[in-house]
Coordinates of all heavy atoms in Angstrom, one line a residue:
L27 N 103.9 81.4 106.0 CA 103.5 81.3 104.5 C 102.5 82.5 104.2 O 102.7 83.1 103.2 CB 102.9 80.0 104.2 CG 102.4 79.8 102.7 CD1 103.6 80.0 101.7 CD2 101.8 78.4 102.5
Q28 N 101.5 82.7 105.1 CA 100.6 83.7 104.8 C 101.3 85.1 104.9 O 101.0 86.0 104.0 CB 99.5 83.7 105.9 CG 98.4 84.8 105.7 CD 97.7 84.7 104.3 OE1 97.1 83.7 104.0 NE2 97.8 85.7 103.5
S29 N 102.2 85.2 105.8 CA 103.0 86.5 105.9 C 103.8 86.7 104.6 O 103.9 87.9 104.1 CB 103.9 86.5 107.1 OG 104.6 87.6 107.2
L30 N 104.4 85.7 104.1 CA 105.1 85.8 102.8 C 104.3 86.2 101.7 O 104.7 87.1 100.9 CB 105.8 84.4 102.5 CG 106.6 84.4 101.2 CD1 107.8 85.3 101.3 CD2 107.1 82.9 101.0
M31 N 103.0 85.7 101.6 CA 102.1 86.1 100.5 C 101.8 87.6 100.7 O 101.7 88.4 99.7 CB 100.8 85.3 100.6 CG 101.1 83.8 100.2 SD 99.6 82.8 100.3 CE 98.6 83.5 99.0
D32 N 101.6 88.1 102.0 CA 101.4 89.5 102.2 C 102.6 90.3 101.8 O 102.4 91.4 101.2 CB 101.0 89.7 103.7 CG 99.7 89.1 104.1 OD1 98.9 88.8 103.2 OD2 99.5 89.0 105.3
D33 N 103.8 89.8 102.1 CA 105.0 90.5 101.6 C 105.0 90.7 100.1 O 105.4 91.7 99.6 CB 106.2 89.8 102.1 CG 106.4 89.8 103.6 OD1 105.8 90.7 104.3 OD2 107.2 89.0 104.1
C34 N 104.7 89.6 99.4 CA 104.7 89.7 97.9 C 103.7 90.7 97.4 O 104.0 91.5 96.5 CB 104.3 88.3 97.4 SG 105.6 87.1 97.6
E35 N 102.5 90.8 98.1 CA 101.5 91.8 97.7 C 102.1 93.2 97.9 O 101.9 94.1 97.0 CB 100.2 91.6 98.5 CG 99.0 92.5 98.1 CD 99.1 93.9 98.6 OE1 99.7 94.1 99.7 OE2 98.5 94.8 98.0
R36 N 102.7 93.4 99.0 CA 103.2 94.7 99.3 C 104.4 95.1 98.4 O 104.5 96.2 97.9 CB 103.7 94.8 100.8 CG 104.2 96.2 101.2 CD 104.3 96.3 102.7 NE 105.2 95.3 103.2 CZ 104.8 94.3 104.0 NH1 103.5 94.1 104.2 NH2 105.7 93.4 104.4
M37 N 105.3 94.1 98.1 CA 106.4 94.3 97.2 C 105.9 94.6 95.7 O 106.5 95.5 95.1 CB 107.3 93.1 97.1 CG 108.5 93.2 96.2 SD 109.5 94.7 96.6 CE 110.3 94.2 98.1
N38 N 104.9 93.9 95.3 CA 104.3 94.2 93.9 C 103.8 95.7 93.9 O 104.1 96.4 92.9 CB 103.2 93.3 93.6 CG 103.6 92.0 93.1 OD1 104.8 91.8 92.7 ND2 102.7 91.0 92.9
R39 N 103.1 96.0 94.9 CA 102.5 97.4 94.9 C 103.6 98.5 95.0 O 103.5 99.5 94.4 CB 101.5 97.5 96.1 CG 100.7 98.8 96.1 CD 99.4 98.6 96.9 NE 99.6 97.6 98.1 CZ 99.9 98.0 99.3 NH1 100.2 99.3 99.5 NH2 100.0 97.1 100.3
T40 N 104.6 98.2 95.9 CA 105.7 99.1 96.0 C 106.4 99.3 94.7 O 106.7 100.4 94.2 CB 106.7 98.6 97.1 OG1 106.0 98.4 98.3 CG2 107.9 99.6 97.2
T41 N 106.7 98.2 94.0 CA 107.5 98.2 92.7 C 106.7 99.0 91.7 O 107.2 99.8 90.9 CB 107.8 96.8 92.3 OG1 108.5 96.1 93.3 CG2 108.6 96.8 91.0
L42 N 105.4 98.7 91.6 CA 104.6 99.4 90.6 C 104.4 100.9 90.9 O 104.5 101.7 89.9 CB 103.2 98.7 90.5 CG 103.2 97.4 89.8 CD1 101.9 96.6 90.1 CD2 103.2 97.6 88.3
Q43 N 104.2 101.2 92.1 CA 104.1 102.7 92.5 C 105.4 103.4 92.2 O 105.5 104.6 91.9 CB 103.7 102.8 93.9 CG 102.2 102.4 94.1 CD 101.6 102.6 95.5 OE1 100.6 102.1 95.8 NE2 102.3 103.4 96.3
W44 N 106.5 102.7 92.2 CA 107.9 103.2 92.0 C 108.1 103.4 90.5 O 108.6 104.4 90.0 CB 108.9 102.3 92.6 CG 110.3 102.8 92.4 CD1 110.8 104.0 92.1 CD2 111.5 102.0 92.6 NE1 112.2 104.0 92.1 CE2 112.6 102.8 92.4 CE3 111.7 100.6 93.0 CZ2 113.9 102.3 92.5 CZ3 113.0 100.1 93.1 CH2 114.1 101.0 92.8
L45 N 107.8 102.3 89.7 CA 108.1 102.3 88.3 C 107.2 103.0 87.4 O 107.4 103.2 86.2 CB 108.2 100.8 87.8 CG 109.3 99.9 88.4 CD1 109.2 98.5 87.9 CD2 110.7 100.5 88.2
T46 N 106.0 103.4 87.9 CA 105.0 104.0 87.0 C 104.5 105.4 87.4 O 104.9 105.9 88.5 CB 103.7 103.1 87.1 OG1 103.1 103.2 88.4 CG2 104.0 101.6 86.7
N47 N 103.7 106.0 86.6 CA 103.0 107.2 86.9 C 101.8 106.7 87.7 O 100.7 106.4 87.1 CB 102.6 108.0 85.7 CG 101.7 109.1 85.9 OD1 101.8 109.8 86.9 ND2 100.7 109.3 85.0
C48 N 101.9 106.7 89.0 CA 100.8 106.1 89.9 C 99.8 107.2 90.2 O 100.1 108.2 90.9 CB 101.4 105.5 91.1 SG 100.2 104.8 92.3
L49 N 98.6 106.9 89.8 CA 97.5 107.9 90.0 C 96.7 107.6 91.3 O 95.9 108.5 91.7 CB 96.5 107.8 88.8 CG 97.1 108.1 87.4 CD1 95.9 108.1 86.4 CD2 97.8 109.4 87.4
T50 N 97.0 106.5 91.9 CA 96.3 106.1 93.1 C 97.3 105.6 94.2 O 97.4 104.4 94.4 CB 95.2 105.0 92.9 OG1 95.9 103.9 92.2 CG2 94.1 105.5 92.0
P51 N 98.1 106.5 94.7 CA 99.1 106.1 95.6 C 98.6 105.6 97.0 O 98.0 106.3 97.8 CB 99.9 107.4 95.8 CG 99.0 108.5 95.6 CD 98.1 108.0 94.5
W52 N 98.7 104.3 97.2 CA 98.3 103.6 98.4 C 99.5 103.7 99.4 O 100.7 103.6 99.0 CB 97.9 102.2 98.2 CG 96.6 102.0 97.5 CD1 96.3 102.2 96.2 CD2 95.4 101.7 98.1 NE1 95.0 102.0 95.9 CE2 94.4 101.6 97.1 CE3 95.0 101.3 99.4 CZ2 93.0 101.3 97.3 CZ3 93.6 101.0 99.6 CH2 92.7 101.0 98.6
L53 N 99.2 103.8 100.7 CA 100.2 103.7 101.7 C 100.9 102.3 101.7 O 100.2 101.3 101.8 CB 99.6 104.0 103.1 CG 100.6 103.9 104.3 CD1 101.6 105.0 104.2 CD2 99.8 103.9 105.6
V54 N 102.2 102.3 101.6 CA 102.9 101.0 101.6 C 103.3 100.6 103.0 O 102.9 99.5 103.5 CB 104.2 101.1 100.7 CG1 105.0 99.8 100.8 CG2 103.8 101.4 99.3
D55 N 104.0 101.5 103.7 CA 104.2 101.3 105.1 C 104.7 102.6 105.7 O 104.8 103.6 105.0 CB 105.3 100.2 105.4 CG 106.6 100.5 104.7 OD1 107.0 101.6 104.6 OD2 107.2 99.5 104.2
R56 N 105.0 102.7 107.0 CA 105.3 103.9 107.6 C 106.6 104.5 107.2 O 106.9 105.7 107.3 CB 105.2 103.8 109.2 CG 103.8 103.8 109.7 CD 103.7 103.6 111.2 NE 104.0 102.2 111.5 CZ 103.9 101.7 112.7 NH1 103.5 102.4 113.7 NH2 104.2 100.4 113.0
A57 N 107.5 103.6 106.7 CA 108.8 104.1 106.3 C 108.8 104.8 104.9 O 109.3 105.9 104.8 CB 109.8 102.9 106.2
V58 N 108.2 104.2 103.9 CA 108.2 104.8 102.6 C 106.9 105.6 102.2 O 106.8 106.3 101.2 CB 108.5 103.8 101.5 CG1 109.8 103.1 101.7 CG2 107.3 102.8 101.4

C-alpha cells in the first residue's frame, strides 16, 4: 500500500512535468 502511494506521487509528478511548461524538472526515474 505504501509503495502504491509512492507510485501515485511519481505518476502525478511525471504527468505534470509532461503536460506543462515545467520550470523545476525533478528526476522521475533513471528511465525517463
Side-chain angles (χ1 to χ4, degrees):
L27 177 60
Q28 181 60 61
S29 179
L30 179 60
M31 293 177 68
D32 292 343
D33 290 343
C34 289
E35 187 277 337
R36 185 168 57 252
M37 178 57 70
N38 276 351
R39 188 157 35 90
T40 302
T41 304
L42 283 162
Q43 292 184 192
W44 181 20
L45 296 180
T46 68
N47 172 37
C48 178
L49 302 183
T50 54
W52 287 77
L53 178 69
V54 175
D55 57 37
R56 284 177 287 187
V58 301

